[in-house]
Amino acid sequence: MPTETGAPPVVGSPIKDFTATVTGDRQISLSELRGKQVVIYFYPKASTPGCTTEGGDFRDNKAHFDAANTVILGVSRDGLKAQQNFKDKQGFNFELVTDKEEAVCQLFDVIKLKKLYGKEHLGIERSTFLIDSAGHLAQEWRKVKVKGHVEEVLAAAQALHRGE
């Protein structure tokens, strides 16, 4: 896992390798996915309405992402049990990353000051990153609105796969 936080990645730059725990209690490294495109999407909390909708949209489009040589990873600060329950209950056909220590979140600079009912707290800003098959950031979406988002990410992944 990254031990230091630097500047957030910029489009065109290589993404620092990281290893994280995913559902199924396995470790996954970004470097082991080299040769495939990777969508990493960050969501605030497992089993909440917006996060369930977004995950369902990725689930329902997974075959299209597969056809574009693209792996999907969902990331939140939830523990492994919460992530596994979320994946199982929603039938997600991709892995969820547990990032309780916020290492992956910090690497992508998605922890932001948020307001809820007038109170400020640090939380995940819904964000998505598309990494090319060589490990470089191809595109990013920050402050994501769920409706229509997955279709936009899919179109970008397909265009990248076609070399556009």
Side-chain angles (χ1 to χ4, degrees):
M1 292 214 175
T3 54
E4 62 197 43
T5 55
V10 295
V11 172
S13 70
I15 300 296
K16 183 176 175 187
D17 191 28
F18 64 85
T19 300
T21 301
V22 297
T23 39
D25 200 14
R26 299 184 305 112
Q27 297 290 306
I28 193 166
S29 295
L30 184 60
S31 58
E32 75 187 47
L33 299 174
R34 204 72 89 237
K36 292 187 178 287
Q37 297 175 170
V38 181
V39 165
I40 300 178
Y41 80 96
F42 292 85
Y43 57 94
K45 188 158 180 55
S47 300
T48 55
C51 301
T52 300
T53 298
E54 184 178 26
D57 289 347
F58 275 111
R59 175 197 61 218
D60 296 347
N61 283 284
K62 185 172 182 297
H64 299 295
F65 281 100
D66 288 346
N69 193 38
T70 305
V71 174
I72 302 165
L73 294 174
V75 182
S76 78
R77 299 183 302 177
D78 294 291
L80 183 59
K81 185 176 181 185
Q83 292 287 57
Q84 191 67 57
N85 289 342
F86 187 35
K87 178 182 177 181
D88 294 345
K89 184 175 181 185
Q90 299 303 324
F92 292 157
N93 45 11
F94 54 88
E95 301 300 342
L96 300 178
V97 175
T98 178
D99 193 30
K100 287 184 88 149
E101 298 81 28
E102 301 178 358
V104 181
C105 290
Q106 289 177 18
L107 179 65
F108 287 90
D109 190 32
V110 298
I111 301 294
K112 303 292 181 185
L113 191 61
K114 300 170 87 175
K115 270 191 179 172
L116 184 64
Y117 306 117
K119 293 185 179 180
E120 291 186 335
H121 68 282
L122 288 174
I124 291 180
E125 176 181 79
R126 193 180 304 276
S127 306
T128 303
F129 301 86
L130 174 59
I131 301 167
D132 69 18
S133 58
H136 294 85
L137 182 60
Q139 200 162 340
E140 67 179 9
W141 296 263
R142 294 188 180 266
K143 297 181 182 177
V144 165
K145 301 290 185 236
V146 172
K147 187 172 174 65
H149 175 63
V150 170
E151 291 80 5
E152 190 178 336
V153 175
L154 176 59
Q158 290 170 328
L160 183 62
H161 182 62
R162 290 190 303 262
E164 296 174 8

